Amino acid sequence: MLDKVVAAGYDVDHGLTRVPDGIEGEAHVDAGQIAELKAMGVRILGENERFTWSDVADGGFRAAGARAAQPLAQPAQVTEANAATVRVVRADWFTTKGQGFLYVEARTTEGGQANPIVLMQLENDSGVGTPFGSARTMSRFVDSGQYMFHRNLFKLDARPDQIRVTSSTGGVTTGKVSNWLEGAPPPLTDNPGYRSDFIDGYKHPQQLFSRAEEIARQYPDIAEIVYLPHKTNGYQRKAQATIGGTGQAAVVVSSAAWGHEGGNDVTVEFVERPGASLPLGVDVSGKAVRVLLAKDANGALASTAAQVAAALETQSQGLVDRAHPYRSNAGTGLVVPTSAPVALSDFLDQKRVGAPEGEVPRGEATIPVLRIGKHRDGRNPGVLIQAQDHAREWVPATTTLETAERLVHNYKTDQETKKIVQNTDIFLVLSNNPDGANYSFYNYASQRKNLTNHCEDANADPDRRNSWGVDLNRNYRVGSGHDGYAGGSTVCTSGTYQGPEKLSEPESKNIVWLVEKYSNIKFMMSVHSNGGQLFWQPGAYIADGRVTTPRPPLGDEAFYWQSAGRILSQVKAYRETVVTPENVGGSSDVLYSSAGNVREDMYHTYGIYSFGWEVGGSIYNPATGNWQGGSFQPAWEGNPALVSGHSETMEYANGIMEMFRIAAEWGKDKKKPTSELVPGGGRYTGSVDVRFETSEPATIYYTTDGSRPTLQSPRYQATEFREPGQVFRVTGTTTFRWFSVDASGNVEKGYDPEKNGRNYRSATVTIVK
């Protein structure tokens, strides 16, 4: 349904929310569009009808006897342990603004059952040793026809120690509650003398780029500018006019020159001459184009819109290079004279109320990248921060500039900042869509895409100008809509238009150029707003069967989660903003499929740890007891405790600074991981369930057939997405051989899997019958 709505040209806001029975989002529509949406099957909500988790316990249901799922095959005498009918995926406790919350995900092996739908009941205790109570029915989450899990978020005044989940088909399990974003170290802003809060308002691209170049001039020992090679379309358009209404007699005219280069000076006039049997002609004087309309033998006007359009294209002496009937019209109507010459316009001279002063430069634009690091020679891990792929998202740009200011101003006085600058190589793209951003500032605040117009005649008239452009975060190569993945549109006026081909846009080509030229880039964050999410791969799926792009190995997944906890803890430290666990993880698992996104390409093509970040989102309001949503351009000062551009800029800059620290530590990490088979080798009666555990996020390669483990051996996997590692049931004597590799590439015990080494780990599980 989301794809249908987007394909129909509706600009659905980025802050989409998964709810149990669908997806909630916002769109700016009129009464006619509301009727069209309803006809498509979309439910229109009232102003106060947003989904909220229930805080009221219900009666629940009684459970019958437990049942087990069929095991999955594994090598030798090892099988996947019989999965419990019900498993707890995660149970997280957090506090914000003085209120406690419990978030739970649980999965049943029978969750895909549709008739009857399997219900899940959640209970929690009130602390260690207290009984379970407060039974609630959990919400079932289904995506693209596939059961995902059941989940709930609800208020609690006391931290529970355990939860109990019961299925209506009989399964029951308990799980321990973990802390989410608790006990984090203080942010850098708490350091004595640390300077922050440099940004005083939203910045358009000229201000962003000017400041980046000034920083490079001010701090040449640690900063420089890298200019990206592919120039953007520019803040420029051809001058246009639609002449003759919108019917079969209407003609859409576009200048050959850009508006600011003479197109705006062109006028077109349809002229009736006295007489009969007159041919259609075009007269040009300077920038004035006069179409001399044809007449038949009776002296009646005889030029159709299609004929006039053809004459303009061929006889305007190069002033008009595109003319056509209006939209899908055949142009069969007879054109009538205009009352006066019609001036063409690029419609870029209308300054939006409240926009900053100053004329926007026209012509193709070159995007500068601010590079910060003491050693910019490839020795240190590179971190790429890419802001404002989507034009209307103003906070990501100010957040990224704030991090730059913190780095250069604190380098000489703060030891933690000095470590970052000396041990990382940071690339900051303050606005990856300057043309669209300027259009958002000065013409149409809700502009999402760039300004490249790929629309054919049916969508090329000036009334469609706010819908032109390519969604840059759908224009990459991996998991692309061109390959059948969901979430990218082929409709040029759609908010998620993926472009005519992969990497069709200079902005996306630039990012590929950057990571290929600077191969030391190992971390990447694409910063967006305003959903309040932090995610990674998989980011896209083929809708039929919900076939995702490849999932990261369990070790990479664990590293993503560990990094996310650190980053989001620093966000919380500013004003207790909590990005909830339901909004963290593989983006296609927690949100929706976004075909052709940049994260997918960076990770799968170049091995770069690639995050997508939706800053902003919902903030808990203790005054109302509800979560309050954000916007793309919240008031800069606003309510500092709730939604404001300034607060979002500062708190998310905290998070990006933590990502720099993660990268610096990653680059210095030489410690080899360790791993264990639990409960380990030894003699067991009957059968035994075993699993692997690691000392840090690491990928395990193992064998059970007596062979030496290599990088081509089976990888230890998660039981299911968003779950811990699989559990093996050993029914016959088996020797496990394995090694682990951490996120920095350190191999356990220094084992070389490509050579004939023998210092891998080994344990034999002996089963006594």
Side-chain angles (χ1 to χ4, degrees):
M1 179 60 74
L2 177 63
D3 284 349
K4 280 180 61 179
V5 170
V6 171
Y10 288 92
D11 187 11
V12 182
D13 277 354
H14 215 167
L16 299 176
T17 303
R18 276 284 184 190
V19 298
D21 60 346
I23 301 173
E24 285 186 1
E26 295 180 356
H28 303 282
V29 294
D30 57 29
Q33 291 171 315
I34 288 177
E36 181 182 16
L37 286 169
K38 286 182 176 179
M40 294 168 65
V42 175
R43 185 158 56 96
I44 308 299
L45 303 180
E47 186 174 351
N48 297 312
E49 283 189 75
R50 287 182 176 272
F51 171 80
T52 56
W53 296 107
S54 174
D55 294 318
V56 180
D58 57 44
F61 48 82
R62 293 190 177 275
R67 287 182 281 175
Q70 292 298 311
L72 301 175
Q74 291 288 337
Q77 300 180 82
V78 179
T79 61
E80 187 86 8
N82 287 338
T85 304
V86 176
R87 298 193 303 274
V88 172
V89 177
R90 60 185 311 117
D92 293 300
W93 165 261
F94 64 88
T95 60
T96 178
K97 311 295 178 66
Q99 178 61 57
F101 287 88
L102 176 66
Y103 174 72
V104 176
E105 289 175 9
R107 184 175 280 120
T108 169
T109 56
E110 299 175 336
Q113 177 179 307
N115 188 22
I117 290 176
V118 177
L119 303 177
M120 298 269 272
Q121 178 178 279
L122 171 69
E123 301 169 276
N124 61 270
D125 63 18
S126 300
V128 178
T130 59
F132 290 110
S134 302
R136 305 156 191 260
T137 299
M138 299 183 69
S139 297
R140 183 171 176 260
F141 179 18
V142 175
D143 183 42
S144 197
Q146 302 295 312
Y147 169 71
M148 304 290 282
F149 38 71
H150 285 70
R151 63 181 181 179
N152 271 80
L153 173 72
F154 55 91
K155 299 177 188 176
L156 287 179
D157 292 329
R159 185 195 187 283
D161 179 60
Q162 293 190 82
I163 61 167
R164 182 166 64 193
V165 181
T166 308
S167 165
S168 60
T169 58
V172 61
T173 191
T174 60
K176 294 284 289 184
V177 175
S178 301
N179 289 331
W180 176 245
L181 310 185
E182 299 289 327
L188 297 180
T189 49
D190 285 359
N191 293 352
Y194 189 90
R195 298 180 63 189
S196 63
D197 205 350
F198 294 95
I199 310 302
D200 58 3
Y202 292 121
K203 308 295 180 186
H204 57 63
Q206 293 69 247
Q207 294 169 314
L208 295 169
F209 295 166
S210 175
R211 179 56 188 151
E213 292 168 335
E214 185 178 0
I215 287 173
R217 288 192 297 269
Q218 287 179 310
Y219 303 92
D221 57 328
I222 60 171
E224 64 179 293
I225 294 293
V226 175
Y227 290 101
L228 297 176
H230 300 284
K231 295 180 182 296
T232 71
N233 176 84
Y235 180 75
Q236 57 185 5
R237 280 184 170 163
K238 301 298 179 70
Q240 292 185 299
T242 300
I243 305 174
T246 61
Q248 290 290 343
V251 179
V252 178
V253 183
S254 299
S255 65
W258 296 108
H260 66 285
E261 294 180 341
N264 288 335
D265 300 325
V266 175
T267 62
V268 175
E269 184 179 11
F270 297 164
V271 179
E272 180 180 6
R273 296 165 291 168
S277 300
L278 299 176
L280 174 65
V282 176
D283 178 60
V284 178
S285 176
K287 295 292 183 69
V289 180
R290 300 173 74 242
V291 177
L292 309 177
L293 300 175
K295 284 192 170 182
D296 62 17
N298 297 319
L301 292 170
S303 298
T304 66
Q307 292 169 336
V308 168
L312 281 168
E313 287 192 341
T314 57
Q315 302 177 44
S316 65
Q317 298 183 18
L319 293 179
V320 172
D321 73 344
R322 189 173 183 179
H324 52 86
Y326 181 79
R327 298 197 179 171
S328 58
N329 292 346
T332 56
L334 295 179
V335 172
V336 299
T338 56
S339 59
V342 176
L344 307 191
S345 173
D346 63 7
F347 299 96
L348 294 178
D349 56 351
Q350 300 173 352
K351 299 296 185 289
R352 194 169 57 80
V353 175
E357 296 294 329
E359 192 69 25
V360 181
R362 304 298 173 91
E364 296 177 335
T366 298
I367 299 176
V369 180
L370 178 57
R371 186 182 187 186
I372 298 176
K374 181 62 177 176
H375 306 290
R376 302 183 301 280
D377 54 9
R379 76 179 72 173
N380 287 330
V383 186
L384 170 59
I385 307 297
Q386 175 204 41
Q388 209 171 38
D389 250 2
H390 293 149
R392 62 194 177 195
E393 298 166 11
W394 295 0
V395 174
T398 55
T399 299
T400 306
L401 181 58
E402 172 70 17
T403 63
E405 301 284 8
R406 292 185 187 184
L407 288 169
V408 297
H409 283 94
N410 293 296
Y411 169 63
K412 293 185 177 180
T413 57
D414 179 72
Q415 288 302 309
E416 287 296 314
T417 303
K418 181 169 289 188
K419 289 180 183 178
I420 290 172
V421 175
Q422 289 182 336
N423 296 316
T424 60
D425 193 358
I426 296 168
F427 299 81
L428 302 173
V429 181
L430 299 176
S431 175
N432 196 46
N433 184 3
D435 305 340
N438 278 318
Y439 198 74
S440 177
F441 268 101
Y442 291 99
N443 299 93
Y444 175 59
S446 295
Q447 177 73 13
R448 171 182 169 96
K449 302 180 287 182
N450 70 2
L451 288 196
T452 307
N453 179 15
H454 293 287
C455 285
E456 301 295 335
D457 292 352
N459 289 297
D461 60 272
D463 286 343
R464 287 279 167 87
R465 65 187 180 276
N466 289 342
S467 298
W468 294 335
V470 173
D471 182 345
L472 299 177
N473 204 34
R474 300 294 186 274
N475 192 232
Y476 289 85
R477 299 166 294 184
V478 177
S480 168
H482 295 282
D483 295 324
Y485 286 82
S489 176
T490 59
V491 179
C492 71
T493 53
S494 165
T496 58
Y497 176 52
Q498 61 197 12
E501 59 186 19
K502 303 172 187 179
L503 295 185
S504 62
E505 304 310 295
E507 296 91 343
S508 50
K509 290 176 182 174
N510 278 331
I511 298 303
V512 169
W513 175 89
L514 190 66
V515 300
E516 289 186 347
K517 180 175 178 62
Y518 301 100
S519 58
N520 63 317
I521 294 176
K522 301 300 180 185
F523 291 84
M524 185 266 187
M525 182 177 283
S526 180
V527 190
H528 293 259
S529 69
N530 62 332
Q533 290 117 5
L534 181 60
F535 38 64
W536 48 85
Q537 305 75 44
Y541 55 71
I542 296 171
D544 186 8
R546 201 180 183 281
V547 181
T548 69
T549 51
R551 293 185 178 276
L554 184 58
D556 281 4
E557 181 84 7
F559 182 70
Y560 273 127
W561 276 104
Q562 182 187 78
S563 300
R566 290 180 57 174
I567 291 168
L568 297 176
S569 293
Q570 299 305 319
V571 173
K572 184 183 178 184
Y574 182 77
R575 54 168 185 163
E576 291 197 77
T577 295
V578 172
V579 176
T580 59
E582 67 184 294
N583 289 313
V584 180
S587 62
S588 66
D589 296 337
V590 300
L591 191 57
Y592 52 82
S593 177
S594 52
N597 68 76
V598 65
R599 307 180 308 276
E600 214 82 63
D601 205 329
M602 296 299 101
Y603 179 78
H604 290 295
T605 307
Y606 304 104
I608 297 170
Y609 288 109
S610 302
F611 293 85
W613 204 356
E614 291 270 354
V615 307
S618 296
I619 298 174
Y620 180 68
N621 185 346
T624 63
N626 296 316
W627 291 79
Q628 179 173 319
S631 65
F632 293 115
Q633 301 141 18
W636 179 253
E637 292 302 335
N639 184 338
L642 295 173
V643 179
S644 76
H646 173 259
S647 294
E648 288 181 5
T649 295
M650 296 306 128
E651 66 192 353
Y652 285 97
N654 282 3
I656 293 179
M657 293 298 293
E658 186 65 19
M659 185 172 178
F660 296 154
R661 286 206 283 194
I662 291 168
E665 294 171 12
W666 180 91
K668 292 294 184 182
D669 180 18
K670 303 301 178 187
K671 184 178 180 181
K672 297 176 178 59
T674 60
S675 58
E676 299 291 340
L677 187 70
V678 179
R683 295 172 64 84
Y684 299 90
T685 301
S687 64
V688 63
D689 291 346
V690 300
R691 68 185 187 278
F692 287 111
E693 291 184 356
T694 58
S695 59
E696 59 178 296
T699 298
I700 290 177
Y701 298 84
Y702 72 95
T703 65
T704 57
D705 61 1
S707 63
R708 190 178 69 86
T710 69
L711 293 172
Q712 286 69 49
S713 299
R715 277 193 313 226
Y716 185 52
Q717 301 178 14
T719 303
E720 183 58 272
F721 66 92
R722 296 174 71 82
E723 292 195 37
Q726 58 201 138
V727 177
F728 302 123
R729 175 150 296 169
V730 183
T731 58
T733 298
T734 302
T735 297
F736 287 84
R737 293 175 174 175
W738 76 93
F739 66 94
S740 61
V741 184
D742 69 14
S744 299
N746 298 308
V747 182
E748 187 171 7
K749 299 177 66 176
Y751 172 63
D752 188 342
E754 298 302 318
K755 296 182 180 178
N756 198 30
R758 295 290 170 181
N759 59 330
Y760 46 75
R761 299 297 311 281
S762 179
T764 299
V765 177
T766 302
I767 302 299
V768 181
K769 300 293 186 181

